Amino acid sequence: MRGQATAGRVTNLCMKLAAAALLCLWSAAASAQGLAPNTTYDAAIPTLKAVLGHGHGEAITTPDEVGRYLDALAKAAPDRTRLVQYATSWEGRPLHYLVVGSRERIARLDEIKRGLQVLASGATDADRLIADLPVVVWLLHGVHGNEISSSDAALAEAYHLLAARGSADVDLTLREALVIIDPMQNPDGRQRFVTQNLLGRALEPDPNPQSAEHDEPWPGGRVNHYLFDMNRDYFALSQRETQGRARVMLEWYPQVIVDLHEMGGNSSYYFAPPADPINPLLTEAQRKSLDLFGRANAAEFDKRGFAYFVREVYDAFYPGYGDSWPAFHGAVAMTYEQASARGLAFTRDDGTVLSYKDGVTHHFTSATTTALTAARNRERLLRDFLEYRRSAIALGQKGMREYLIPPGKDASRAERLARLLAAQGIQVRRAEEAFQSGSQQMPAGTFIIPLAQPAGRLARNLLDPDIKMDDAFLKEQDRRRKARLSDQIYDVTAWSLPLMFDVDVVAGDRPAGVKTREVRPDEPASATPAPLPQGTLGFLLPWGSGAAATVTEALRQGIRVQTADETFTHSGRKFAIGTAFVRLAENAEGTAVKLQQIAQRHGAELLPISQTWTEEGISLGSGRTARLKAPRVLMAWDSPASSLSAGWARYTLEQRFGQRVTAMRTSTLQNYDMKDYDVLVLPSGTYNYSEDGLRRLKDWIRNGGTLITLAEASRWAARDRVGLISTDTLWRDGTPEKDAPEGGTQGGGSGGGGAKPDSAKPFDFDKSIQPDRERPENLAGAMLRVTLYPYHWLTAGLDGDIQAIAEGSRVFAPLKLDAGINVGVYAPADRLVAAGLVWKEAQPLLGERAFLMHQPTGRGHVIAFAEDPNYRAYAEATQLLFINAVLLGPGH
Ligand SMILES: [Zn+2]
């Protein structure tokens, strides 16, 4: 593997660069001193230098080397460690955690784990457990692969805890705490960073921040293979790495979690307490502990003379961070941020040079101080944790008692949501019979999420439609936006899973007395295919998420599939637009069983039929059905495409729906003859096609190609840019952007010389300083209601309203009737906002503007999304719209 070929090179480089190996030796000695002054180390524990050839902070340790050093430590101290591989990255690299504890603790590790699980259940008689259990401190490193010092600090932390001799602090830490070190949460991203850094490396480390070794090419090392920011993936659990991490955290239930990051090189160091806003479901005890750790770190940083800041930037509102998701399981969870050298040396704006070793030392210091502080407060932290879990149960016994999710029209989507909740430690049950909840009749198969459970606050966070920010914070943001200052909102302001999945949720105030069984995240889909009724001549698949995945796989296997462009009634049941039909007579032998297996795997409903007569609507042999083909899909890759948008699209295609896609660099793409492809996806971005390239793109569409543009790519495609689709993007005042910004006549805000002075009226200062033309107000990330045009095949599997995540400042005028169809339109202003923060003044501009447009062009299509339907792979509903475009577009 390419990664491994470079593995040993950093070491070699360090030696060669040193001209005489002296320089490396010198810094190894310095680093041992620098980390923890006056510490004596046990020679039986191998140093980093002995195993890898470089000391702490002298080289950027590669992912492969991280693994080798962990192995060496675990082998040297088998009775005080346990090394566990908990996941494998998309690119095949192992993810580990190393448990470090006293001999006594490690000998009883499994018993301790069981004890922690009992504690986490909110056990009533827990005194013995609390007297006995260690406090678990989980140190997470390098979730962003280019935040490099974090992983090297992890290796230093492990070495220090295992090798320090006669240190009262280390002895106390290991007596009272169990320290779990995850040194590298994103090995693929780290390898990407290390490779490009090495490629750009000068004769000796170049501190110029603009030099090639610091300047990462697209997509950068922050993200994983699918270009996901894994620090936003906790409740979506879309990535293998996060899935593994959530699973093992739910085995150990740590009481203290630190996620160690890096920030811009001109900063200093950040640790808790966090900035506002604070999620209202964090408790007072948690906030007090954030303060406790903050003060302990501050005292140590003062002692060492390190600069730091608290409270100013990193908030604790959004629940999908590595430092917030575990907090709703009861941990004290914190983010620490070190200024990044983004290499071995970095010249700051003030002329001083930040070294990689500085970063490693600072992270090492805060991490070991945190573990020590936790050890000193062992009993308090365990009691707080227990109380958090118990009070969550108590909270759920008042007011609303449970959430109910009926299977609804697309049972595959409800089931996916139920499993996702179960995968994050939330108890979910499935009703085995129909039941009554209040005045509502709930069918068998309804999922029940009781709120009286230890993870009740996490359940509320993810299932409530909206989590409110506090008024003082909102007031300050309102002031800032009016002054045209950027807001202090760090991430999206809405994330309700039922809204994003577009499933119905019923709030129940009485626990349902109904026969149920527990939902397990990994429970296999139902067993063997049901025997087919006599005379089965084909199958109907009502469209939905599971059906889309089924049909994608079926088409790839050569099964012939039709899709209904209108509704029909068969055997008394009404079938919606998009329903797929497979006729066995036109398929190979064995298709029935094959299709049954595929459908089961994807949780799709597959109905055998023995005659094709429809009582109402179109016939199954009608011209108003479309023959689907396995689409050959191309997508733009590399700058100027947004790496996140490109990664989300690729993930949605390949992993969510099993659709193959050719990712092609944008520079190659515009000169490429696309005749062998049916679909082109342009992720968010402002493209720079040549005139010739654009002409060829338009010809390809006219000849039957389906172009799908996402977010900023739709802005680029609009009439005022390259004219692939007849929409206009709008200014804040609702006028099209194509109008000259100096227009003057329409804005009415030009307070200067143009207007005739009216001596009778006082000068209107506020009005006079309003800019003439502005982009629409920026959305930090909110959920907007979208009304779908139900007669269009793009909406198959969805009905009426859905919710879409909107962020940024894009507003599109709807298409005129002669240009195309506005398949999705934002709801009118008064019911536009489904959840999250959208300023009142911004709502009228968005109301009834276009979300999803379809413009038939020649024999092809342009399908434009105003926002990214695959945003972080959060929203099943909009992802279904996206796969509909890919799968159904070429058939029409
Ligand atoms: Zn980070």
Side-chain angles (χ1 to χ4, degrees), residues 559-588:
I559 296 175
R560 290 166 70 84
V561 185
Q562 280 165 266
T563 171
D565 283 346
E566 291 177 33
T567 60
F568 62 89
T569 304
H570 182 281
S571 300
R573 175 168 164 181
K574 197 162 177 181
F575 289 87
I577 191 167
T579 300
F581 172 50
V582 174
R583 194 189 291 271
L584 289 177
E586 59 182 24
N587 277 291

Side-chain angles (χ1 to χ4, degrees), residues 42 50 152 257 290 345 366 643 658 689 737 865:
D42 179 355
D152 272 298
I257 288 198
L290 293 172
S366 63
S643 60
Y689 271 70
E737 273 194 33
F865 286 86

Side-chain angles (χ1 to χ4, degrees), residues 143-144 147 222 231 260-262 337:
V143 71
H144 297 138
E147 299 177 1
R222 175 181 175 88
N231 198 31
L260 294 109
H261 292 249
E262 284 187 347
E337 300 267 354

